[in-house]
Structure formats: C-alpha cells, structure tokens
C-alpha cells in the first residue's frame, strides 16, 4: 500500500486526504497548529461560554459542495442550521432587503426587479448540482453542462457595476446585489466581480446559507472522523519546514500541500524546478481582512427588525457606498466606511453562548498586511444600522491581518481567499496545469488552486484525483 502525507488540515487538505484514503492509500495529515481545521475552527476568543468561529462562519459552498455531498458527514456529527432567510441587507431608511431561500418569494419581494433577478440567478439556483459541478472546478476544461455554463458566462462577463445597471431598476435590488458582489474582494468595475455576485445569489436560492451546529469546528470534526474511519490520521502541533519536509519526502511516496504557494515553494526548495518555484513565489495575494468577534448581552438591536430573520447581514448601504469601499481596498487604501460582513449565529444556534447571550462575527476588507485598527470604523457601520449596538457589547476580540496569519499561516497578510481573484489567477491558479508541480510526487491542493476560496473541499478533491491518476 502506498503512503501519502498532506501538509495542512484545512478543508481542502482533509478532502484530499479522504479521497486518497478512499482509494486505499495510507494517509497522514500534518498540522502546525494545536487544533486542526485551518480557518475552519471555533475558539473561545472572548468570555467563558462564548464560541466564536475563527475564520469561516456561514457555509453556502460547504452545503452545496459536490464532493461533500457524497460524504456521510451527518453520520459523523455534522448538522446544518438555517436562518429564516439566508441574508439581510439593511438600508439607511430603516428598512432592509431580505433574500428568502425560496426564489419565488424573493422574486415577489424584489417587485419590479423580481423577474430580472430570477433571470440572472434562477438557472444556476434551480440547477445548483449541475452548476456547482462545473463552477467549483478547474475552468480550463470542457464543462459537463455546457448550455448552463454558456448562459452563466454570457450573463456575468460584465463587471458588477455594468451588470447591476443593466439588470436592475431599483436601488434596493442593486444594494443587495452589491452585498453579494462584496464577497469577491474585487473592485466592482473589474472582470469577474459580477460572476461572484451571481454565484452567491444563486447559492442563496440553491443550497442556502447555513451554519453548522456548534460552530465551524463541527465541519472539521466530521471530516476528521470520516478520515479516521478510513484509516487516516491527523497529527497536530507539527510545523513542517524544509528540514522536516526532507524527512517526509523520504518516507512518503506522495506529498500534498494545503498551503499558500509561496510557503510551499520555500519548503520544497530544490524538489521543484526553478520555473515552478518562481511562479509560486510570485503568486499574488488577495486583500486581507480585519475581523471582530463580540460577546453580546442581547441580540443586535437592528433598526430594521427583518435583519433578525437572517444569520448573515451585509452592512454597507447602497450599491455606490459598497462599490466605493471595495474600490478603496483594491487601490490599497482602508475604506473610511467599509463594507462589513456580519453573522449572528446565536439567533438560531443557542449552543454557542450562555443562555440569553449572543455572539456576533464581523469583518471588513483591508489591503493585504494592513496595520490599521478598523475597530472604530466597523462599529460605526454596525451602529449606522443598529443604534445602541455598543451598549450590548460585553467583550470584543480584534484580529488584524497579522493576528490571522499568526493563527493560520495560510492567511498571509489576512488573505482569506487563497490569492487574488484576478482574471489571470483564476484561469491559471497558481500555474498551468493546476495542482501539479514539476515533481510528479508533489501537489498543491489549497485554495490557491481551482476553484479557489471557500469551504467546499473541491481543491483537495481535484488535486487528489489527479495524483491518483498519475500513480497508476
């Protein structure tokens, strides 16, 4: 039986390990931190009894992952919880736009833009399984569902600002679309920004935007239990550097890296060609994030009560407001009024806080490696739509880009996307061919490979499948 090791225990590393173990390969996973999971962990960041998600919190791509859908994760303790609606977007007039999971309900709620919304996101939402199979994989391949992907491609080749202007009449619809586009880390006048908005819009009405009961750690725990049932092992508190890698290189026939490409290039040293090593070393990182975790005495006092229907709340106001904030970040500046992504899981999962208390998870985008404390700017945005919010705060924990990188080396400079989502780095991520290197026994399986960031495991799945095909 051949042996393989995976360096890094994020969802992609664990996915790769599971694929290999399913094929009968003996697998060991090595993790630098004391707790596995990478950015998919839950930690006691504030007060006793309050559980906070360190990285990802809401998981449309996990519940909608083609690979995860084939795994018996529920049998290993993973339970999904949905809010009454996937996402809410408050506005300055005291109201909020709420996107319901049911596309018909959302279409009616968006009024004059309802039909345009259905036309834009409906095909992908209604055929999510087919859509996800193609979109959550290498782009440089023939799609399995060409008609669906052709329609998607023709619709979203426009930047988000042009797409919103051509599709929607109402500022309310444009605002909620801006919140979806804001997940892209792109300026709204850049290619692919519209693509991200449509993909997240489709996921609202497709798989939904759920949270795992007990915190993000439940996803990692279920993946590890499944891996262990297949004979795989996870080893924590072992930082793999170039010296340790030389030992692993001798012991394991296959090495897979769930790491940043630059880290991988530094670790493997002469085992990759100069061309590959230089390509990996030049890989461009995405902007970073500044994150705040709160312990609250009560739920967030939203001016628009509809916001309590959703776990996810997008805070930024109008399309123009959010576009200006994201453009500042793309240009290397911290926004004065940042777009804030917030999650309020304890409205629907009371296991994460003492009785009657709540947690809030919030972050904004900043230039990679930013050293500016964004606490005040984020809280002003929350107070903008929830006056009196600060009176509810029992404790807060701030995570700068440097803090995030210290807690997970993959989050270099605060980059949670696995690298910039420029057109070139989307097509060639991080090089061509994807996943493989010049060394036939060394592969990259992190979010820096197709399809990119998100908790879906598809990067690890495709990397492991390629490795197995070459082992035959």
């Amino acid at each position: 039986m051949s042996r393989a090791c995976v360096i890094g225990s994020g969802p992609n590393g664990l996915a790769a390990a599971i694929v290999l173990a399913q094929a009968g390969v003996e697998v060991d996973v090595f993790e630098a931190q004391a707790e596995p999971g990478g950015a998919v962990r839950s930690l006691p960041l504030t007060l006793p009894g309050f559980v906070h998600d360190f990285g990802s919190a809401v998981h449309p791509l996990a519940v909608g992952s083609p690979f995860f859908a084939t795994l018996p994760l529920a049998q290993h303790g993973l339970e999904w919880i949905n809010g009454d609606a996937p996402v809410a977007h408050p506005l300055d007039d005291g109201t909020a736009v709420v996107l319901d999971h049911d596309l018909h309900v959302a279409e009616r709620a968006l009024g004059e833009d309802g039909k345009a919304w259905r036309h834009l996101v409906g095909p992908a939402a209604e055929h999510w399984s087919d859509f996800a199979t193609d979109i959550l994989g290498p782009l440089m391949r023939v799609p399995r569902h060409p008609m669906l992907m052709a329609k998607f491609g023709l619709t979203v080749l426009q930047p988000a600002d042009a797409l919103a202007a051509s599709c929607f009449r109402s500022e309310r619809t444009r605002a909620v679309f801006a919140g979806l586009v804001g997940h892209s880390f792109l300026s709204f006048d850049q290619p692919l920004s519209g693509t991200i908005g449509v993909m997240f819009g489709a996921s609202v009405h497709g798989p939904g935007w759920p949270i795992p009961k007990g915190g993000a750690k439940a996803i990692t725990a279920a993946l590890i239990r499944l891996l262990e049932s297949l004979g795989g092992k996870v080893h924590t508190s072992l930082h793999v550097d170039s010296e340790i890698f030389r030992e692993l290189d001798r012991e394991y026939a296959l090495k897979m890296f769930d790491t940043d490409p630059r880290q991988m290039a530094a670790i493997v040293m002469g085992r990759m060609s100069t061309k590959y090593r230089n390509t990996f070393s030049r890989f461009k990182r995405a902007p970073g994030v500044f994150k705040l975790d709160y312990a609250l005495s009560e739920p967030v006092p939203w001016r628009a009560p509809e916001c309590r229907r959703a776990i996810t709340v997008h805070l930024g106001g109008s399309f123009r407001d959010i576009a200006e904030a994201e453009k500042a970040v793309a240009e290397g500046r911290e926004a004065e009024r940042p777009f804030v992504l917030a999650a309020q899981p304890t409205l629907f999962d009371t296991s994460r806080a003492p009785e009657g208390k709540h947690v809030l998870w919030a972050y904004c985008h900043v230039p990679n490696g930013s050293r500016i404390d964004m606490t005040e700017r984020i809280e002003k945005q929350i107070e903008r739509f929830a006056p009196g919010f600060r009176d509810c705060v029992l404790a807060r924990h701030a995570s700068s880009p440097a803090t995030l990188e210290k807690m997970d080396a993959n989050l270099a400079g605060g980059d949670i996307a696995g690298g910039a989502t420029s057109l070139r780095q989307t097509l060639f991520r991080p090089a061509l061919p994807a996943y493989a290197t010049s060394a036939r026994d060394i592969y990259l399986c992190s979010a820096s490979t197709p399809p990119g960031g998100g908790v879906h495991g598809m990067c690890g799945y495709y990397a492991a499948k390629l490795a197995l095909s070459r082992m035959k």
Side-chain angles (χ1 to χ4, degrees):
M1 179 186 294
S2 57
R3 300 186 69 198
C5 69
V6 179
I7 298 164
S9 67
N12 284 309
L14 294 174
I18 289 169
V19 171
L20 295 173
Q22 288 174 328
V25 177
E26 184 179 337
V27 186
D28 288 298
V29 179
F30 297 101
E31 168 60 45
Q33 298 293 323
E35 182 177 348
V40 187
R41 289 181 282 165
S42 303
L43 303 170
L45 298 175
T46 57
L47 300 174
F50 290 84
V51 177
H52 304 276
D53 288 334
F54 163 65
S56 59
V58 182
H59 297 91
L61 298 184
V63 74
S65 164
F67 176 53
F68 287 172
T70 68
L71 304 179
L73 297 180
Q75 296 176 24
H76 293 278
L78 181 59
E79 178 181 344
W80 292 110
I81 297 175
N82 288 282
D84 293 338
V87 63
H89 189 112
L91 299 168
D92 287 312
D93 63 1
T95 66
V97 184
V98 177
L99 288 180
D100 197 277
H101 178 67
D102 188 315
L103 182 56
H104 296 285
V105 175
E107 181 180 359
R108 291 195 297 270
L110 293 175
E112 62 180 346
D113 285 329
K115 289 184 179 179
W117 182 259
R118 171 178 283 279
H119 177 77
L120 186 64
V121 307
E126 293 168 345
H127 303 279
W128 177 265
S129 180
D130 294 341
F131 175 70
T133 298
D134 282 327
I135 201 69
L136 295 179
L139 296 183
M140 303 297 285
R141 60 173 179 160
V142 177
R144 295 184 184 179
H145 307 92
M147 296 302 294
L148 178 61
M149 290 304 293
K151 186 172 184 179
F152 173 74
L154 289 172
T155 303
V156 302
L157 285 176
Q158 305 174 68
D161 53 7
L163 187 61
S166 64
C167 289
F168 306 128
R169 299 177 182 177
S170 168
E171 288 299 323
R172 294 173 64 85
T173 310
R174 291 175 183 171
V176 76
F177 183 62
L180 300 171
V181 175
H183 288 259
S184 71
F185 287 89
L186 294 169
S187 177
F188 287 16
D189 58 0
Q190 294 297 306
L192 299 181
S193 56
T195 304
I196 301 299
V198 175
M199 183 183 74
F200 276 100
S203 69
V204 166
H205 310 299
W209 286 24
I211 56 174
K213 184 176 182 179
K217 64 181 179 182
I219 299 174
T220 298
L223 290 170
I224 290 176
R225 290 189 191 108
L226 174 57
L227 176 62
E228 291 174 341
S229 74
L230 296 168
K233 298 178 181 178
V234 177
H235 310 270
T236 58
S237 301
L238 179 63
H239 173 68
V240 176
D241 56 16
S242 58
E243 182 177 349
I244 292 177
F245 174 73
R246 284 194 292 270
E247 298 177 13
L248 299 178
D249 197 18
R250 290 190 293 267
E251 187 175 350
Y252 294 92
L254 176 64
K255 283 74 62 176
M256 308 202 72
F257 283 76
D258 182 13
T259 68
D260 173 273
R262 297 190 196 181
Q263 297 174 54
M264 179 182 179
I267 292 170
V268 303
M269 302 294 284
R271 289 285 279 112
M272 282 199 307
S273 69
T274 300
K275 179 182 177 181
Y276 261 93
R277 200 162 59 248
N278 289 342
T279 298
F280 279 31
S281 297
R282 290 194 299 264
F283 188 72
K284 186 177 180 181
R285 288 164 175 155
V289 302
F290 186 98
K291 178 170 172 283
L292 289 167
D293 289 285
Y294 294 95
L296 304 177
S297 61
E298 59 185 83
V300 179
W302 303 111
R303 182 184 293 119
E306 308 97 295
C307 289
R308 292 189 64 174
R309 293 187 58 213
I311 296 170
T312 300
V313 185
H314 290 158
L315 306 174
S318 69
F319 184 98
R320 182 176 181 180
D321 288 343
I322 298 173
E324 287 179 353
E326 294 303 286
K327 187 174 184 63
V329 176
E331 293 176 346
R333 298 178 286 112
E334 291 81 3
E336 287 298 323
R337 296 214 301 178
F339 170 54
V340 177
L341 297 96
Q344 41 188 4
T346 42
L347 290 182
F348 302 93
D349 181 6
T350 58
S351 70
R352 302 193 190 197
E355 185 176 357
K357 304 298 189 294
H358 290 269
V359 300
L360 183 72
W361 173 101
Y363 75 85
C364 72
H365 299 153
V366 294
N368 191 281
S370 170
R371 297 182 179 182
I372 301 298
D373 187 337
M374 297 294 287
T375 302
E376 181 65 18
R377 299 186 202 187
I378 289 175
E379 291 191 353
K380 281 184 177 179
Q381 285 291 70
I382 300 174
E383 286 269 351
R384 175 181 171 187
F385 304 103
F389 165 73
R390 286 189 176 97
D391 296 335
C392 305
V393 176
L394 298 173
R396 63 174 61 76
H397 180 274
S399 296
S400 67
T403 302
L404 294 172
E405 183 175 351
K406 183 178 180 181
M407 298 176 72
D408 181 354
N410 269 9
L411 307 182
D415 176 4
I416 65 172
T421 49
S422 63
L423 184 58
R424 186 186 186 284
Q425 282 200 177
T426 299
L427 294 175
F428 308 104
R429 189 175 182 90
L432 190 67
Y435 318 111
T437 73
S438 57
R440 290 182 63 85
D441 57 343
I442 300 176
Y443 293 80
L444 184 66
C445 64
S446 70
S448 299
T449 64
V455 180
H456 44 63
M458 298 305 295
C459 307
Y461 168 81
Y462 280 109
K465 285 292 188 180
L466 177 61
L468 286 170
S469 71
R470 291 185 166 192
M471 290 173 65
K472 294 179 180 178

